[in-house]
Amino acid sequence: AQSVTQLGSHVSVSEGALVLLRCNYSSSVPPYLFWYVQYPNQGLQLLLKYTTGATLVKGINGFEAEFKKSETSFHLTKPAAHMSDAAEYFCAVVGGGADGLTFGKGTHLIIQP
Amino acid sequence: EADIYQTPRYLVIGTGKKITLECSQTMGHDKMYWYQQDPGMELHLIHYSYGVNSTEKGDLSSESTVSRIRTEHFPLTLESARPSHTSQYLCASSPIGTATYEQYFGPGTRLTVT
């Protein structure tokens, strides 16, 4: 069975600083990996995805993530945080019924002015 | 922009009431899903559908039921609401025949059972 672990339920960074959100996965098959963002009282918006091919994937809003098979990781980064990045971030792997997603517990990103 | 809608957005209801949470998508996607999200917790898949007349239970056991009579509509019903059903419910859809498995999410329904 697939599983996802997100280290750190809360991450706080200063505006302009590097953002690093950690995600490790467990999968018995080649993984399809996703990062979603959730703003308060809203649904989930796809930031980026890894399926096959290039292991460094770029997403929206300046975010990117690198798939590292040897480390079973898919960490999310952004070079310079913006106040508008404050939100809940979820890492997910395909693995449920009808290719449903298995999610991590989420990381709440706090941006300090 | 994903076109997937959920109503109501917020619902406060008393114990024992029957409720239906609506989910509709205009993208013609065959696969649809319901996830339950408790505060500060991850999302859990509770129902999914491959298409019309297809419904299956997900990884997390739920007392809710779903139906799929039309491609675009995937309502979730609770016959007798209880406080333990208080949660956020998110609907999602995905096309069949793609290799990306990307899911599009609705805005969610926040249910409170008193």
Side-chain angles (χ1 to χ4, degrees):
Chain A
Q2 285 71 21
S3 67
V4 174
T5 302
Q6 291 184 239
L7 286 176
S9 60
H10 291 76
V11 170
S12 180
V13 302
S14 299
E15 189 174 18
L18 171 71
V19 174
L20 171 60
L21 304 183
R22 300 179 187 274
C23 171
N24 289 89
Y25 69 90
S26 171
S27 177
S28 57
V29 297
Y32 290 79
L33 295 157
F34 302 83
W35 275 100
Y36 282 87
V37 60
Q38 185 178 35
Y39 298 101
N41 300 316
Q42 294 187 26
L44 275 68
Q45 180 184 7
L46 180 69
L47 275 178
L48 49 80
K49 61 191 177 193
Y50 170 79
T51 54
T52 58
T55 56
L56 181 64
V57 293
K58 296 185 183 299
I60 62 171
N61 301 338
F63 284 93
E64 62 182 36
E66 186 170 12
F67 169 63
K68 292 187 177 181
K69 184 178 179 181
S70 61
E71 299 177 8
T72 61
S73 68
F74 191 56
H75 301 331
L76 181 72
T77 60
K78 182 174 180 177
H82 192 271
M83 295 299 290
S84 61
D85 295 327
E88 192 82 18
Y89 291 80
F90 291 93
C91 182
V93 63
V94 172
D99 303 315
L101 298 175
T102 298
F103 286 86
K105 291 183 182 293
T107 297
H108 186 66
L109 178 61
I110 301 162
I111 310 297
Q112 305 280 3
Chain B
E1 178 108 3
D3 296 318
I4 182 164
Y5 309 98
Q6 291 185 244
T7 57
R9 291 292 314 279
Y10 303 91
L11 179 62
V12 180
I13 201 163
T15 298
K17 299 291 187 182
K18 177 180 179 178
I19 60 171
T20 296
L21 308 184
E22 302 288 348
C23 175
S24 294
Q25 50 97 4
T26 60
M27 298 171 284
H29 290 169
D30 289 297
K31 292 188 286 186
M32 294 190 73
Y33 312 83
W34 277 102
Y35 293 88
Q36 183 174 338
Q37 181 183 27
D38 292 327
M41 301 290 287
E42 68 265 45
L43 290 78
H44 289 287
L45 181 66
I46 55 174
H47 297 284
Y48 60 93
S49 167
Y50 285 100
V52 172
N53 295 325
S54 159
T55 60
E56 302 287 345
K57 289 191 176 295
D59 306 322
L60 181 69
S61 176
S62 174
E63 294 170 346
S64 58
T65 59
V66 293
S67 62
R68 191 88 183 275
I69 299 172
R70 304 197 313 265
T71 296
E72 63 271 22
H73 196 213
F74 192 41
L76 180 146
T77 298
L78 277 165
E79 291 292 334
S80 180
R82 295 208 297 267
S84 61
H85 297 139
T86 294
S87 190
Q88 172 148 271
Y89 294 84
L90 289 163
C91 181
S93 71
S94 179
I96 279 181
T98 67
T100 64
Y101 303 100
E102 180 176 337
Q103 293 185 17
Y104 298 85
F105 283 81
T109 293
R110 188 169 295 279
L111 172 66
T112 302
V113 184
T114 61

